[in-house]
Amino acid sequence: MIPDYHDILDHILIDEETLQRRITELGTEVSRDYVHRPDILLVGILKGCMLFMSDFMRAITIPNAVDFMDVASYGSGVRETSGDVRILMDLHTSITGRDVLIVEDIIDSGRTLNKVVNQLRSRNPASLEVVTLLDKKERREVDVDIRYTGFVIPDAFVFGYGLDIDEYYRNLPFIGVVKKGVVLG
Ligand code: IMP
Ligand code: MG
């Protein structure tokens, strides 16, 4: 049985209202920055980006298109990424000559994003930037350029608002910190 989220939640780190307020700000900032090249392709990295993408794209007031990529990172443990990143589903759109904004849920070691950025850069977009909702800055192992950040958060395992614990709890409207020692399944 998968426990109700109340049983695994240590505390709420970012509540729904704070998330929504910050996402609106990000949308406004991006709309202003891209006003002279108003044909953004938002590239979401599945599946964590789902909820953020849907709110973020609605906060953008200039024309935008969306596409998705699914990548798998393999690591020594479930919560560690090795940087061995495989594309499970590629974009459906050509990005050559386009203004691309990668939409990520969270950056931890930076290994996943680094691979995605290198892969997409080789396709010669007109520009390539990154927006991430969450940044666990102190965990960074690989340097990545992040243009827009929602929140810098401490080194704790978080879930909700698109982020999962073993694929569950993505639907929660807030970002929560999991209790220590929780293992599902
Ligand atoms: P990185 O390659 O170490 O930066 O890992 C990034 C990926 O690991 C994210 O896209 C998430 O899928 C996952 N991840 C990292 N930290 C967390 C977390 O606290 N909760 C849920 N997923 C996480
Ligand atoms: Mg992700």
Side-chain angles (χ1 to χ4, degrees):
M1 263 272 279
I2 304 301
D4 186 82
Y5 82 82
H6 291 101
D7 299 331
I8 61 155
L9 177 70
D10 190 85
H11 62 279
I12 291 180
L13 185 66
I14 310 170
D15 65 23
E16 186 171 1
E17 194 194 326
T18 309
L19 276 174
Q20 294 301 329
R21 204 182 320 121
R22 181 70 186 121
I23 292 167
T24 302
E25 284 174 9
L26 287 172
T28 304
E29 200 181 333
V30 165
S31 305
R32 201 177 48 223
D33 292 352
Y34 283 78
V35 77
H36 297 300
R37 29 183 187 144
D39 177 20
I40 323 178
L41 178 66
L42 304 172
V43 167
I45 311 301
L46 294 170
K47 305 172 199 159
C49 74
M50 288 193 306
L51 275 67
F52 177 40
M53 176 67 93
S54 103
D55 287 329
F56 175 65
M57 69 189 293
R58 279 181 284 188
I60 297 176
T61 54
I62 59 173
N64 60 83
V66 64
D67 203 349
F68 295 96
M69 258 176 117
D70 192 3
V71 300
S73 337
Y74 295 100
S76 45
V78 255
R79 290 176 189 180
E80 298 290 327
T81 14
S82 64
D84 188 8
V85 176
R86 196 158 58 97
I87 296 180
L88 300 179
M89 187 192 84
D90 206 338
L91 299 174
H92 292 226
T93 324
S94 165
I95 61 166
T96 306
R98 301 209 55 190
D99 290 305
V100 175
L101 182 57
I102 297 173
V103 179
E104 258 285 25
D105 53 351
I106 186 165
I107 302 170
D108 188 4
S109 71
R111 292 184 189 281
T112 308
L113 184 64
N114 183 253
K115 286 286 162 79
V116 170
V117 166
N118 289 340
Q119 171 65 235
L120 295 189
R121 187 159 285 142
S122 73
R123 301 180 193 180
N124 298 314
S127 67
L128 184 62
E129 302 289 354
V130 177
V131 55
T132 187
L133 180 65
L134 308 174
D135 184 359
K136 284 190 198 171
K137 233 189 176 102
E138 65 193 80
R139 296 260 304 169
R140 195 65 31 83
E141 292 167 24
V142 175
D143 214 22
V144 272
D145 249 354
I146 304 162
R147 178 76 182 274
Y148 308 96
T149 302
F151 303 88
V152 173
I153 62 167
D155 177 15
F157 199 80
V158 294
F159 68 106
Y161 199 72
L163 290 108
D164 68 306
I165 302 176
D166 302 342
E167 294 299 328
Y168 291 91
Y169 310 112
R170 293 190 196 271
N171 59 311
L172 300 173
F174 54 79
I175 300 285
V177 174
V178 71
K179 278 183 189 163
K180 283 219 159 50
V182 167
V183 185
L184 299 187

